[in-house]
Amino acid sequence: EVQLVESGGGLVQPGGSLRLSCAASKFTFTTYWMSWVRQAPGKGLEWVANIKQDGSEKYYVDSVKGRFTVSRDNAKNSLYLQMNSLRAEDTAVYYCARDADSGSYFFDYWGQGTLVTVSS
Amino acid sequence: SYVLTQPPSVSEAPGQTARITCGGNNIGSKSVHWYQQKPGQAPVLVVYDDSDRPSGIPERFSGSNSGNTATLTISRVEAGDEADYYCQVWDSSSDHRVFGGGTKLTVL
């Protein structure tokens, strides 16, 4: 069964930085787009960013453009999210999700999430 | 950007049929996907491409999509179906994935 395990969350002050990681296993990582999706406490899901199989294309929700960077290391089967200039509104559980191998753009597997808290 | 509108809550008695709607401008022209999220857990895909079910999802879960409304239908509702449900589409104009605000299903 596909496994996605996030790490790197924690408490950070406003304006600070954090790097999230997602370790993927039990599937061919190099053949899938990958995404980050977040969920603020008590709120709904929000897609944050995604990255093409070879890293050549990346897309971001407007609220994180210029502050967050998605990347991947296919040799390590890992996905990353570098988060800079963090704000209180970035507080959320961040999920790593696999984009389905389909032309319809949905998420077929999710990790369990890692909590990021931005607070002084 | 493309907006998806869901009712905040839906309630249904066990054994009945629950219908959760997802509204969007000409959503019938898009592929709609649905996720179930139970408290403290990650979302799980329950319907994709409007009406297809991933393996392991009961046939009680079905979907439809036409005009400006997509619908997730849960037949013979069980206590274990109580969860938040989210619809999702791909917005081709921005190349962004978009979620609805979510609907909390309460089984009475």
Side-chain angles (χ1 to χ4, degrees):
Chain A
E1 172 93 344
V2 167
Q3 289 191 355
L4 299 168
V5 179
E6 302 92 337
S7 60
L11 175 64
V12 60
Q13 292 189 339
S17 298
L18 211 56
R19 188 196 195 206
L20 306 183
S21 300
C22 171
S25 60
K26 300 186 179 179
F27 70 99
T28 306
F29 184 70
T30 55
T31 63
Y32 288 88
W33 282 75
M34 296 295 297
S35 286
W36 288 98
V37 177
R38 68 183 178 182
Q39 185 171 35
K43 303 297 184 182
L45 301 172
E46 180 183 40
W47 170 81
V48 174
N50 65 350
I51 184 169
K52 194 176 180 179
Q53 291 91 331
D54 62 359
S56 62
E57 294 182 38
K58 305 175 185 182
Y59 298 91
Y60 301 90
V61 69
D62 288 351
S63 58
V64 308
K65 280 181 184 176
R67 300 188 300 122
F68 290 12
T69 302
V70 61
S71 62
R72 63 194 294 164
D73 185 337
N74 286 342
K76 295 183 178 180
N77 288 345
S78 293
L79 176 72
Y80 305 101
L81 187 66
Q82 178 66 44
M83 304 185 295
N84 298 331
S85 303
L86 282 161
R87 307 166 179 167
E89 54 265 35
D90 296 318
T91 294
V93 173
Y94 285 74
Y95 294 101
C96 165
R98 189 178 85 168
D99 282 43
D101 184 15
S102 158
S104 299
Y105 309 101
F106 59 93
F107 311 107
D108 58 357
Y109 288 95
W110 299 64
Q112 283 304 303
T114 187
L115 176 62
V116 173
T117 303
V118 184
S119 174
S120 55
Chain B
S1 61
Y2 194 78
V3 176
L4 294 173
T5 301
Q6 297 183 237
S9 63
V10 166
S11 300
E12 196 53 78
Q16 300 303 304
T17 298
R19 294 177 178 84
I20 298 172
T21 59
C22 177
N25 184 34
N26 196 27
I27 196 174
S29 66
K30 300 181 180 295
S31 292
V32 180
H33 321 293
W34 293 91
Y35 304 87
Q36 175 194 69
Q37 186 181 33
K38 296 181 179 180
Q41 298 184 19
V44 172
L45 180 70
V46 292
V47 167
Y48 66 96
D49 288 350
D50 297 339
S51 58
D52 290 336
R53 278 186 314 279
S55 60
I57 300 301
E59 292 183 6
R60 300 185 298 105
F61 288 81
S62 62
S64 61
N65 184 20
S66 178
N68 293 317
T69 305
T71 303
L72 174 69
T73 301
I74 308 171
S75 304
R76 302 180 299 283
V77 166
E78 303 173 355
D81 298 332
E82 195 163 276
D84 294 326
Y85 291 85
Y86 296 89
C87 59
Q88 178 251 314
V89 301
W90 173 59
D91 178 15
S92 58
S93 64
S94 62
D95 213 353
H96 289 180
R97 282 73 165 144
V98 178
F99 287 97
T103 298
K104 179 176 181 58
L105 172 65
T106 299
V107 180
L108 301 171

